[in-house]
Amino acid sequence: LLSWLRFCLENTDPRTRGRGIQLLSQVLLQCYSLLQEKEVLHLVLFYESRLQDHHLVIPSVLQGLRALSMCEVLSPGLAVSVLKAIFREVHVQSLMQLDRHTVYSIITNFMSTREEELKGLGADFTFGFIQVMDGEKDPRNLLVAFQIVRDLIAKDYALGPFVEELFEVTSCYFPVDFTPPPNDPHGIQREDLILSLRAVLASTPQFAEFLLPLLIEKLDSELQSAKLDSLQTLTACCAIYGQKELQEFLPSLWSSLRREVFQTASEKIETECLAALHALSACLSRSVLSSDSEDLLDSFLSSILQDCRHHLCEPDMKLVWPSAKLLQAAAGASLRTYHRITRSVLPLLLEQYTKHTQSSQRRTILEMLLGFLELQQKWGHVEEDESTLLSLQTPVCSVVFSALTDSSVQLQLVGIKALTLLGSLQGFLSSSDLELVVDHLIRLTLHEEDSQSSEAAMEAAGSLAPTYPKVFSGRMVPRLAEELQSGRAEREESYHNHRSLQQRCLQALAAVSTHTSIVRETVPVLLQHLQKVQKGTEARNTQDMVSVCQSLHRVALQCQQDAEGCWYFHQTVVPCLLAMAVQAAMQESTHTLLGKALLEEEVLAAMIPVISAATTHLSSELAAQSVSHVVPLFLDGEVSFLPQNSFPCSFQPFRDGECLEAQRRLVALLMAFVCSLPRDVAIPQQEWLLRELLALSCSCNCPFTATTAAKCFAGLVNKHPAGQQLDEILQLAVNRMEPGLAEGPRRMQALTLLLWVTKALVLRYHPLSSCLTDKLLGLLSDTELGPAAADGFSLLMAESPDVLHKGCHADVRIMFRQRFFTDNVPKLVQGFHGAGPDVKANYLKGLSHVLNHLPKPVLVTELPTLLSLLLEALSCSDRVVQLSTLSCLHPLLLEAPQIMSLHVDTLVTKFLNLTSSPTMAVRIAALRCAHALTSLPTTVLLPYKGRVIRALAKPLDDKKRLVRKEAVAARGEW
């Protein structure tokens, strides 16, 4: 081998010499770490001499030098020697791309390991690199070259007299004009080059005198991408520039920025202009002034005010908002710029508000004022003698209060925003102002005709209440309670939206309950009203109770992050709701009409989230304290912990007897409580409770009670520790379900139990889940239970709102849907092919439910094997199957166009047929899919264009507006 290598290296043919050096270089790339210092020295001297050889040899020589540049035992001075030789002997830009990249790699290696040696070259190293890079065009090499320039500057290499040359050799690529070729294996994007070049240009103030004129020139061009790149680069430069670098160019920069904001139709360019102006103002604010230097910031802001301020006096003209945005961008840069701008602008805006009387003009002015007020929040509390805003407290409050009483809803909404903002500024509102604020919010909440203003006022009250709890609990809550308890709240109806004043009171009480001290005032009012409604006999009592429960639910959610408020709400509300429900159930048992509305499914369903939200965030200690009372209530009839606990008979919800049906309905409230407990809380008498729930779910004639018992059983099973006790209770459940599913009057109850228990086990990856799922699959061929079993697959895959979700501490394993899909979809497909024609739809429905809840990336990978079944499902007469399949196909048309293109003929036919479905939801979904078809390649769609456009003319005349809307969008896209 050595003799052959010697023959090659001494050969007169350059190609032969090149092959010899190539072999040697390849060997060195494999074993450079094993070389000794003397070996490296001799090899470096050899390779340096070869740089003078024929151009065919040079690529292999560079590969060898790259290997040697990675050697740790390289003698001092050799790195400089190698680079000098390359700079002197090699015309880098005449080499191929890979060989040029090798040169950049050698330089990079030496810069990372021999920094001090290279710095010893002084500016010669910089000049040598400039020669190497000059004329580079390949994006792969440019990314490396830009990094080298950044390192030159960041590591303080000497640039000497070559600053302008270094700038020129990099800035010639600005702005970047690069479009990656299709299927580019290197993955270099235009954005990569832009960011890399920007990091170079914005790396040193030494480039400023050359870069800023370039940026101004590109800002004046017609190319939008050049403008954007220039603005973003200017913003980046401001982070390292000072007054010295900017002084000469400030007038031109401001002129360009102002012109772009005033004239551009591009939102992107406007945003970047404002960001650049903000950065310029911040840069000037950072500069420390000497006693004899000009205050550039003050003169710069004066120019901005001079060019923009007068436009604020013309609220109907198109330049008012661009001017306001420019002023706000500058004002937001620093506390100093904020004072300078607002000192001039705020008095003008207040004057203009008074001067103009039209609501639309006042709204524009107030929105501009709001923009400046929002900037105050950035600086926190400001001393009184420094703040322009504090000196204008009275006129600002007057303007905002004026807006709140205006007849224009839009002006009111802006006024409410401004009011909320003023309230958030520490020390701005006086005590008398705060009382007036609360009075305005009460008036808007209860008596404003438009619901937008009413709802905005409620939200504002909720935002301000934590800051001023005493004012709101002492002034707003009593007024709301008075309105709620007076006859007016029951008699008086709201305006065009037919919402009662009572409902607004309830919503406002909930909205303002954002502080524990206020919660202690509002919760008794809400509970008192619920008790009052319970005693009534009017038909609307059910809806009234639901409204109170919805307000309580909102309060519960707002209390969850505060331990004190959460525990107060729980120990106050949960026993009260249970006591009222038990009282109503016993009165029902004794055939008393009072309180009957409380036992309606709608009311119980509204109470469930209240109890659940009040329980989920309890600490384990407090939850254990509460569960020791609630579970004995249902198992033992222990009512001593309930308020007003003198009941006419005993509470025995799990006892048999038709007269106890009302008591059994309250298992829904037990479910809400025990299924929301943290997993580490032990439930007393749990095995007994599980047996009672299991028996109730299978034997109860009331579907509502049977379902809630099944859900409660499932929720407890899901959290039950694995072991013999769990296995026994599950076996007992299977033994109860199997005969119930086989025959008898309660097959549906047995199916409901099967579904919920299966879901509980699927979520926690319990081994029995596959057995229960197989039972469910077997029921798809049942003519009676098949459709309901198919719908059950949606229950298994979907998020449950009240039990078995992470929010109530259920055991939910990651990717359970993917696992269920993998285990069961093949069985669904097999069952479909073997099923009779009368039950095939059940399999399609079950499949579509599973696919509809599957993460889309997973579905796309399985699409080729399932698409034929999905297309067949579109022909099914069951509207649920059709709707579920369409909702499954819609995202696939957008995310997997290549696969869907193979079936475009079938898809077009099916979608167009379903646009005439008798079901509105199916027509809408079909039109959306027809719209989504346009994301397929144009060449695929063109043969169908005329046919689709003609077919979509019919739904344009559909009797339903929502259908017509989708038809217009789809047909327009085609």
Side-chain angles (χ1 to χ4, degrees), residues 476-671:
M476 188 169 190
V477 175
R479 286 277 299 279
L480 293 173
E482 180 186 351
E483 290 282 358
L484 190 62
Q485 293 165 9
S486 68
R488 282 180 312 211
E490 295 181 0
R491 294 190 301 269
E492 185 176 336
E493 293 295 322
S494 68
Y495 303 86
H496 64 278
N497 59 359
H498 304 295
R499 292 169 56 209
S500 66
L501 177 61
Q502 171 181 289
Q503 191 170 9
R504 285 195 176 189
C505 287
L506 294 172
Q507 291 177 332
L509 284 166
V512 80
S513 301
T514 50
H515 189 274
T516 302
S517 63
I518 303 175
V519 171
R520 292 178 181 274
E521 302 292 333
T522 56
V523 164
V525 173
L526 291 170
L527 292 176
Q528 184 181 354
H529 183 68
L530 185 62
Q531 291 166 341
K532 177 183 175 182
V533 174
Q534 181 192 16
K535 295 173 183 177
T537 57
E538 297 181 23
R540 73 174 194 174
N541 280 3
T542 297
Q543 187 54 49
D544 289 345
M545 287 185 172
V546 170
S547 297
V548 179
C549 290
Q550 288 171 343
S551 292
L552 285 169
H553 181 227
R554 179 170 178 176
V555 177
L557 294 175
Q558 291 167 177
C559 288
Q560 285 181 339
Q561 303 309 317
D562 176 64
E564 180 189 349
C566 186
W567 177 235
Y568 167 78
F569 184 91
H570 181 89
Q571 66 177 352
T572 304
V573 174
V574 173
C576 183
L577 293 182
L578 289 173
M580 292 172 63
V582 170
Q583 180 75 37
M586 291 182 177
Q587 288 171 346
E588 175 79 3
S589 303
T590 56
H591 307 290
T592 306
L593 291 176
L594 289 176
K596 188 174 182 180
L598 195 63
L599 302 176
E600 297 285 344
E601 288 183 22
E602 191 178 353
V603 177
L604 290 173
M607 293 171 72
I608 288 171
V610 179
I611 295 175
S612 179
T615 306
T616 53
H617 283 65
L618 288 180
S619 66
S620 299
E621 295 76 15
L622 294 176
Q625 183 179 330
S626 187
V627 76
S628 65
H629 295 302
V630 175
V631 172
L633 167 67
F634 282 84
L635 290 179
D636 305 319
E638 179 54 59
V639 297
S640 58
F641 81 102
L642 298 179
Q644 303 172 355
N645 53 21
S646 56
F647 302 116
C649 60
S650 59
F651 182 60
Q652 301 171 321
F654 291 115
R655 291 282 182 90
D656 292 332
E658 190 174 336
C659 63
L660 298 176
E661 180 59 44
Q663 295 187 17
R664 286 194 282 270
R665 295 170 76 82
L666 303 193
V667 170
L669 306 184
L670 173 67
M671 174 198 75

Side-chain angles (χ1 to χ4, degrees), residues 883 886 890 914-917 919-931 955 958 960-967 970:
L883 196 56
L886 287 168
H890 182 267
L914 289 174
T915 60
S916 302
S917 167
T919 305
M920 183 183 77
V922 173
R923 297 201 300 276
I924 290 174
L927 287 166
R928 286 176 179 164
C929 286
H931 190 170
D958 197 279
K960 296 293 185 180
R961 181 185 61 82
L962 293 176
V963 177
R964 297 196 299 271
K965 178 182 175 183
E966 294 295 339

Side-chain angles (χ1 to χ4, degrees), residues 296-576:
L296 278 184
L297 176 63
D298 191 67
S299 59
F300 183 60
L301 295 178
S302 295
S303 298
I304 297 173
L305 285 165
Q306 181 181 345
D307 291 342
C308 297
R309 188 176 182 273
H310 62 280
H311 291 301
L312 304 184
C313 302
E314 303 165 338
D316 291 329
M317 305 303 286
K318 71 174 185 177
L319 291 183
V320 63
W321 270 115
S323 299
K325 289 176 181 177
L326 287 166
L327 288 166
Q328 288 166 5
S334 69
L335 186 56
R336 188 176 166 208
T337 61
Y338 177 77
H339 287 320
R340 177 70 177 86
I341 296 287
T342 54
R343 192 164 59 241
S344 174
V345 169
L346 290 188
L348 175 67
L349 290 175
L350 294 170
E351 176 191 328
Q352 292 300 312
Y353 185 92
T354 306
K355 180 179 176 182
H356 292 83
T357 56
Q358 291 184 18
S359 296
S360 59
Q361 296 172 329
R362 287 189 159 191
R363 176 192 170 194
T364 300
I365 295 168
L366 188 55
E367 284 178 333
M368 290 190 289
L369 180 64
L370 180 60
F372 287 102
L373 294 178
E374 286 171 343
L375 296 175
Q376 174 75 54
Q377 290 180 308
K378 292 177 65 174
W379 318 116
H381 183 63
V382 182
E383 294 300 325
E384 188 169 350
D385 58 344
E386 296 179 359
S387 175
T388 305
L389 187 57
L390 286 177
S391 66
L392 298 171
Q393 179 183 14
T394 301
V396 168
C397 288
S398 175
V399 162
V400 173
F401 293 153
S402 166
L404 297 178
T405 56
D406 195 273
S407 59
S408 167
V409 172
Q410 298 306 316
L411 181 54
Q412 285 179 9
L413 292 174
V414 181
I416 292 169
K417 285 183 184 177
L419 188 69
T420 307
L421 186 62
L422 293 179
S424 69
L425 300 177
Q426 185 180 351
F428 184 82
L429 295 175
S430 65
S431 56
S432 59
D433 287 334
L434 280 172
E435 292 179 356
L436 195 53
V437 165
V438 173
D439 290 342
H440 277 297
L441 291 177
I442 293 171
R443 177 184 56 79
L444 290 167
T445 296
L446 300 181
H447 305 295
E448 175 54 45
E449 179 178 353
D450 189 90
S451 61
Q452 280 183 286
S453 295
S454 174
E455 290 166 5
M458 292 181 201
E459 295 303 320
S463 298
L464 295 175
T467 310
Y468 310 103
K470 289 184 179 179
V471 180
F472 279 87
S473 61
R475 194 171 185 90
M476 188 169 190
V477 175
R479 286 277 299 279
L480 293 173
E482 180 186 351
E483 290 282 358
L484 190 62
Q485 293 165 9
S486 68
R488 282 180 312 211
E490 295 181 0
R491 294 190 301 269
E492 185 176 336
E493 293 295 322
S494 68
Y495 303 86
H496 64 278
N497 59 359
H498 304 295
R499 292 169 56 209
S500 66
L501 177 61
Q502 171 181 289
Q503 191 170 9
R504 285 195 176 189
C505 287
L506 294 172
Q507 291 177 332
L509 284 166
V512 80
S513 301
T514 50
H515 189 274
T516 302
S517 63
I518 303 175
V519 171
R520 292 178 181 274
E521 302 292 333
T522 56
V523 164
V525 173
L526 291 170
L527 292 176
Q528 184 181 354
H529 183 68
L530 185 62
Q531 291 166 341
K532 177 183 175 182
V533 174
Q534 181 192 16
K535 295 173 183 177
T537 57
E538 297 181 23
R540 73 174 194 174
N541 280 3
T542 297
Q543 187 54 49
D544 289 345
M545 287 185 172
V546 170
S547 297
V548 179
C549 290
Q550 288 171 343
S551 292
L552 285 169
H553 181 227
R554 179 170 178 176
V555 177
L557 294 175
Q558 291 167 177
C559 288
Q560 285 181 339
Q561 303 309 317
D562 176 64
E564 180 189 349
C566 186
W567 177 235
Y568 167 78
F569 184 91
H570 181 89
Q571 66 177 352
T572 304
V573 174
V574 173
C576 183

